[in-house]
Amino acid sequence: MSQTVSLSRAAPAIAVVGAGIVGATTAYMLARRGAHVTLIDRTEPGRGCSYGNAGALAPASIVPLAMPGILRRVPGMLLDPAGPLRLPLGYVPRAIPWLARFVAASRRDRVEAIAARLAALNAEAIERHTVLAREIGAPELVRTHGHLHVYRDAGALAKDAPAWALRERYGVRCERVERADIESLEPRLGACYRTGVFLPDQAMVVNPFRYVQQIVRAFVVGGGRLVRDEVRAIEPDLARGWSVHTSEGRQTADHLILAAGAQTPLLVGPLGVRLPIESQRGYHVTFPDDAAPVSRIVVLADRKVFVTPLERGFRVAGTVEFGGLLRPPDPRRFALLGRLAREAFPGIATGEERHWMGHRPSTPDSLPLVGPVASRAGLWLATGHGHLGLTGAVSTAHALADAILEGSPALAPAIA
Ligand SMILES: Cc1cc2nc3c(=O)[nH]c(=O)nc-3n(C[C@H](O)[C@H](O)[C@H](O)COP(=O)(O)OP(=O)(O)OC[C@H]3O[C@@H](n4cnc5c(N)ncnc54)[C@H](O)[C@@H]3O)c2cc1C
């Protein structure tokens, strides 16, 4: 690994809470550019939401979850436990404020503005991940074989036409494919998928957990400090920036970056800062011992499910469920993902299944909260990346490093 870590005395001390993909990448980037960085997590790095994602590096994903017409989908969300979007009745009262903002974000003019922002944020994501993977000594983790989105028929594809048109307007290369093309790209995909769109410029990470671990290892080798501890409180420090209280004691830093994923609101709540973040619970079933039936990410677009070939085995991941941080996973959703895999790839023999649920830290408008907290000098947010945290982590890291280390004015407050 070629790293230039300058330890000049003028370098700021920075604490980063959360060693998911966002916090790990941010800590690595800051340390690489000369800051004294302490990365704190209560668990092993990468064990949060970043553990089990679908591995897609998808700068083409500029379409927010809240699209015009989202209100019409609410009855289905409430009633269909197997639907791609699920809102259990009992969670409705808790979710109403967030959902109201979610619906407001689905207005046509808002969607255009959000798409433009996401396109700009993630424009360089693949190049930046490729460079990062090389720097940390794991170039094999990033693969650039494109993504294939498949539909059962032209009618199903037509329903997504506004989303595809939006992507094309922002220059995403989208190639319409029919059954013969699908067969040549992914021969094992069942005949029920007859049409689709191939995105040749998208990429993937074949082991999202190892990626985070390797980034943290490079961070430590380069002089960063990793602390495994629970952050219980944060507060402004009269002598120096911010204090971070952990079960082991107190640490201070000139700058404090909160990258605690869906748990970030719990850290700033006591300061009177309210973050519009809700967990969009996503599920995966991983088949670690089975040969992947695909050679690239295949999106079963009718179910919004990703099938990902991994370093070992393959993964079926997706679905969105509201329900907060405390409810246990719904086992029916694991069964659903397993069934979808068997339907999509007839005849696949699968062995052991590993089940996992993670909390996507999600904002109503699908835009991450990255930047300073207004009127709290030295406090920064790096959260709210929702469905795109793996994709967006490197851009977030660059933006924060530019702002903190070089005073780049481009970064507006993440929250008032
Ligand atoms: C099923 C599924 C599929 C997905 N697929 C993709 C995909 O293909 N591509 C993509 O770009 N994104 C995808 N995502 C989204 C992506 O995984 C997330 O956006 C991303 O992992 C969020 O990373 P994070 O670092 O913000 O949060 P996390 O990974 O959750 O990390 C937060 C960390 O903070 C720590 N923490 C929290 N509170 C404290 C505390 N008080 N003290 C100490 N530590 C604390 C936690 O232990 C955790 O390690 C997917 C998500 C899911 C669920």
Side-chain angles (χ1 to χ4, degrees):
M1 185 187 56
S2 66
Q3 273 206 53
T4 44
V5 179
S6 131
L7 291 176
S8 81
R9 259 202 263 140
I14 302 174
V16 180
V17 181
I21 185 67
V22 174
T25 310
T26 302
Y28 168 84
M29 206 66 76
L30 285 162
R32 193 183 190 290
R33 287 170 62 171
H36 297 286
V37 185
T38 301
L39 175 61
I40 310 168
D41 200 303
R42 61 183 167 209
T43 63
E44 187 187 14
R47 281 280 168 192
C49 187
S50 305
Y51 175 79
N53 61 52
L57 297 177
S61 293
I62 59 167
V63 180
L65 193 68
M67 284 288 276
I70 188 76
L71 259 184
R72 282 198 299 276
R73 298 186 65 186
V74 170
M77 287 160 68
L78 291 169
L79 299 172
D80 180 6
L85 264 177
R86 170 85 176 125
L87 172 59
L89 212 49
Y91 195 68
V92 173
R94 175 75 213 282
I96 279 178
W98 190 95
L99 287 172
R101 295 174 74 161
F102 182 64
V103 171
S106 71
R107 276 199 345 245
R108 217 165 288 280
D109 57 329
R110 288 285 291 126
V111 166
E112 274 300 329
I114 293 165
R117 187 82 195 102
L118 285 173
L121 280 176
N122 293 326
E124 293 174 57
I126 293 177
E127 293 76 4
R128 286 175 161 172
H129 277 287
T130 305
V131 170
L132 175 62
R134 205 182 311 128
E135 278 179 12
I136 62 170
E140 71 284 0
L141 286 179
V142 175
R143 283 192 205 157
T144 49
H145 298 337
H147 295 174
L148 176 63
H149 292 240
V150 290
Y151 295 83
R152 287 171 190 254
D153 53 50
L157 173 57
K159 284 192 192 145
D160 276 353
W164 289 113
L166 190 60
R167 291 185 184 105
E168 284 189 310
R169 274 208 301 288
Y170 283 92
V172 176
R173 253 200 322 149
C174 302
E175 296 172 2
R176 178 77 190 262
V177 289
E178 300 304 341
R179 181 65 204 170
D181 311 304
I182 293 174
E183 271 171 24
S184 68
L185 286 164
E186 295 298 344
R188 298 198 59 193
L189 193 61
C192 59
Y193 287 102
R194 309 213 54 79
T195 187
V197 181
F198 180 51
L199 307 180
D201 302 326
Q202 307 303 293
M204 62 174 297
V205 170
V206 288
N207 188 337
F209 177 52
R210 182 160 86 80
Y211 191 37
V212 179
Q213 295 233 309
Q214 199 101 356
I215 293 167
V216 173
R217 198 165 300 134
F219 161 74
V220 171
V221 168
R225 185 165 157 253
L226 176 66
V227 172
R228 185 155 171 184
D229 207 344
E230 164 102 28
V231 173
R232 298 192 167 162
I234 58 169
E235 61 179 1
D237 188 80
L238 288 178
R240 184 192 208 186
W242 285 83
S243 283
V244 179
H245 296 266
T246 66
S247 42
E248 298 282 303
R250 187 178 78 101
Q251 336 216 359
T252 56
D254 303 311
H255 297 271
L256 172 59
I257 301 175
L258 301 179
Q263 285 87 18
T264 311
L266 304 175
L267 291 170
V268 290
L271 302 175
V273 177
R274 303 270 169 261
L275 300 185
I277 288 184
E278 185 56 63
S279 164
Q280 286 186 18
R281 297 147 53 105
Y283 289 70
H284 87 208
V285 175
T286 295
F287 300 92
D289 301 325
D290 300 297
V294 290
S295 58
R296 58 174 58 75
I297 284 184
V298 171
V299 183
L300 310 178
D302 50 344
R303 309 303 306 212
K304 307 278 182 264
V305 160
F306 285 57
V307 183
T308 303
L310 299 174
E311 250 181 336
R312 251 194 75 206
F314 70 102
R315 171 170 296 165
V316 186
T319 83
V320 168
E321 178 189 63
F322 294 92
L325 297 171
L326 301 177
R327 291 173 180 230
D330 179 346
R332 289 174 299 186
R333 298 191 84 73
F334 297 122
L336 172 74
L337 289 174
R339 180 163 59 72
L340 291 175
R342 288 181 199 97
E343 266 173 34
F345 302 98
I348 51 166
T350 50
E352 187 199 346
E353 289 187 14
R354 292 194 187 152
H355 295 169
W356 173 89
M357 184 201 71
H359 297 283
R360 300 182 186 95
S362 304
T363 59
D365 59 7
S366 298
L367 292 172
L369 300 173
V370 177
V373 177
S375 72
R376 303 273 177 175
L379 183 63
W380 303 78
L381 295 177
T383 186
H385 293 74
H387 292 239
L388 287 174
L390 173 62
T391 306
V394 196
S395 304
T396 291
H398 277 287
L400 286 171
D402 289 348
I404 296 174
L405 302 180
E406 283 157 37
S408 150
L411 214 47
I415 197 91

